[in-house]
Amino acid sequence: MSIRILLVVLFCAVKPCDAQLEPGTDEIEYAVAIHGGAGSAPRAVEWKTARERLLAQALQRGVEVLRKNGSSLDAVEEVIRLLEDSPRFNAGKGAVFNADGNHELDASIMDGQSKKCGAVGGVKTVKNPISLARRVMNDTRHILLVTDGADRFAADSSQDPRIELVTNDYFSTEYQRQRLLKARSSARSRNVDLIGTVGCVALDRHGNLAAGTSTGGLVNKKFGRVGDSPIIGAGTYADNQTCAVSATGIGEDFIRSAVAFDVSARMKYQKQSLEDAIKTVLGQETPPVRGGLIGVSAEGKIVMSFNTPAMARAAADSAGKWIVDVGPAEDD
Ligand code: ASP
């Protein structure tokens, strides 16, 4: 037996799992899931179709990054940027109006390997808040920058082509203006339809998890209100030992119960599966958590769950999973 064959035999004896990793096994090499907000199902077929198309495009973008050995952080940022640029979601262009008739945007991103994270709250001039959140993570010793400070940080980052500045009316759409008017005149204005916040979770081929969330918040929200999306542990969380999670729904509920961290903690300390952890959290009556969650475990298992009538969502993995679903449409 040559020395080379002997070495191969010895290596396989020490690392049998790697030796058995052939294509076609159930091992998930990469996985990505996206949400486009929890709430009521889109009423018009045109909206349903447009959102489905955009989610499919975003999913494709995420898969391309991961398939080419890109990082889960890159996949999350790319997917969310694409959805922020679309007027069909409540993030970036198309964000809701606050009670003052302006837009204040929140976003966060987290790396499950290093536990590094970055977030921005109440930004008014940043086209892609998710990229600013990533910049906070990479280029500062802080985690969360808010309002004028965050906008100033963006202005100081002009050398970064991913940080583009816009005027506040860039985010405005007629659709959201009508929703503001409806919310102002409605007794239910605290609970109007949510739909539209975006989030992404991913597992890459290097075994690293990442999560991110971006939103304009709640329609008709008070000036200065910050929701769960930029709060690490509430709207976003990632830990390579457990899972990556992104939330959508009534932000105050998710902050109160530190929902994203709770999902991870249940897996870590109670050894719950991702599915059980998410179901338990969303099923709790007191305090209630109204909305939905997407998560991916360290093994690549994807869970997308909600207790609202609908949640726009999409998922794909290296084993061939491909799901895009925004819920039923009722034409007016
Ligand atoms: N969670 C977001 C917030 O409260 C809203 C949403 O998910 O639609 O700001």
Side-chain angles (χ1 to χ4, degrees):
M1 188 185 290
S2 77
I3 192 86
R4 209 162 142 223
I5 294 175
L6 185 66
L7 281 175
V8 171
V9 170
L10 279 175
F11 180 76
C12 290
V14 179
K15 287 197 83 184
C17 292
D18 282 3
Q20 287 160 11
L21 271 184
E22 296 290 331
T25 62
D26 285 332
E27 185 93 12
I28 305 288
E29 293 179 26
Y30 60 82
V32 55
I34 305 171
H35 71 73
S40 54
R43 284 170 60 77
V45 168
E46 194 259 330
W47 266 87
K48 178 182 184 301
T49 316
R51 278 200 166 133
E52 271 171 359
R53 186 174 35 80
L54 286 157
L55 282 176
Q57 266 174 26
L59 195 59
Q60 189 61 45
R61 176 83 58 96
V63 165
E64 268 162 30
V65 172
L66 296 170
R67 197 171 40 210
K68 291 181 189 153
N69 285 328
S71 72
S72 50
L73 274 173
D74 282 346
V76 165
E77 185 185 356
E78 285 301 313
V79 163
I80 293 183
R81 279 178 68 91
L82 193 146
L83 297 174
E84 284 175 339
D85 289 345
S86 156
R88 303 280 186 168
F89 292 94
N90 171 21
K93 175 94 187 153
V96 297
F97 287 88
N98 68 7
D100 280 358
N102 295 314
H103 308 280
E104 296 180 321
L105 286 73
D106 302 335
S108 66
I109 192 163
M110 183 161 185
D111 174 14
Q113 182 188 23
S114 62
K115 299 277 195 73
K116 282 174 73 175
C117 42
V120 293
V123 292
K124 298 181 199 70
T125 60
V126 183
K127 185 170 178 241
N128 295 105
I130 194 68
S131 294
L132 191 64
R134 189 163 180 191
R135 215 176 152 84
V136 172
M137 171 175 107
N138 287 337
D139 296 344
T140 77
R141 61 197 165 90
H142 307 300
I143 290 177
L144 174 60
L145 294 184
V146 298
T147 61
D148 294 351
D151 281 303
R152 244 172 75 186
F153 178 61
D156 292 345
S157 307
S158 56
Q159 78 287 0
D160 182 344
R162 301 179 78 76
I163 311 295
E164 243 182 275
L165 300 187
V166 290
T167 53
N168 198 248
D169 60 359
Y170 159 80
F171 302 109
S172 303
T173 57
E174 191 46 36
Y175 172 73
Q176 292 293 5
R177 200 179 302 282
Q178 292 307 320
R179 288 187 69 214
L180 174 67
L181 296 178
K182 195 170 148 199
R184 278 180 177 159
S185 65
S186 162
R188 297 185 308 123
S189 63
R190 279 156 58 90
N191 273 331
V192 283
D193 297 347
L194 296 161
I195 282 281
T197 288
V198 303
C200 180
V201 293
L203 168 72
D204 64 29
R205 284 192 142 131
H206 316 285
N208 292 324
L209 292 167
T213 313
S214 180
T215 188
L218 300 181
V219 64
N220 202 25
K221 66 185 180 181
K222 254 188 194 315
F223 168 78
R225 179 264 189 189
V226 172
D228 60 315
S229 307
I231 308 294
I232 298 299
T236 302
Y237 197 71
D239 177 350
N240 270 10
Q241 285 184 39
T242 55
C243 62
V245 178
S246 170
T248 170
I250 307 284
E252 285 69 11
D253 294 352
F254 286 80
I255 295 173
R256 209 172 273 124
S257 297
V259 166
F261 178 75
D262 192 22
V263 169
S264 168
R266 283 171 186 280
M267 293 178 72
K268 192 165 179 176
Y269 304 123
Q270 289 196 326
K271 306 292 170 213
Q272 283 192 355
S273 67
L274 176 64
E275 195 167 7
D276 287 348
I278 285 185
K279 281 205 172 128
T280 311
V281 167
L282 287 177
Q284 275 168 3
E285 293 292 321
T286 42
V289 173
R290 292 159 291 178
L293 288 164
I294 53 167
V296 59
S297 71
E299 295 75 38
K301 166 109 179 122
I302 290 171
V303 178
M304 305 188 284
S305 199
F306 48 99
N307 57 23
T308 44
M311 180 174 78
R313 60 203 185 279
D317 68 22
S318 57
K321 183 194 287 285
W322 182 272
I323 300 168
V324 178
D325 193 348
V326 302
E330 308 155 21
D331 220 351
D332 307 89

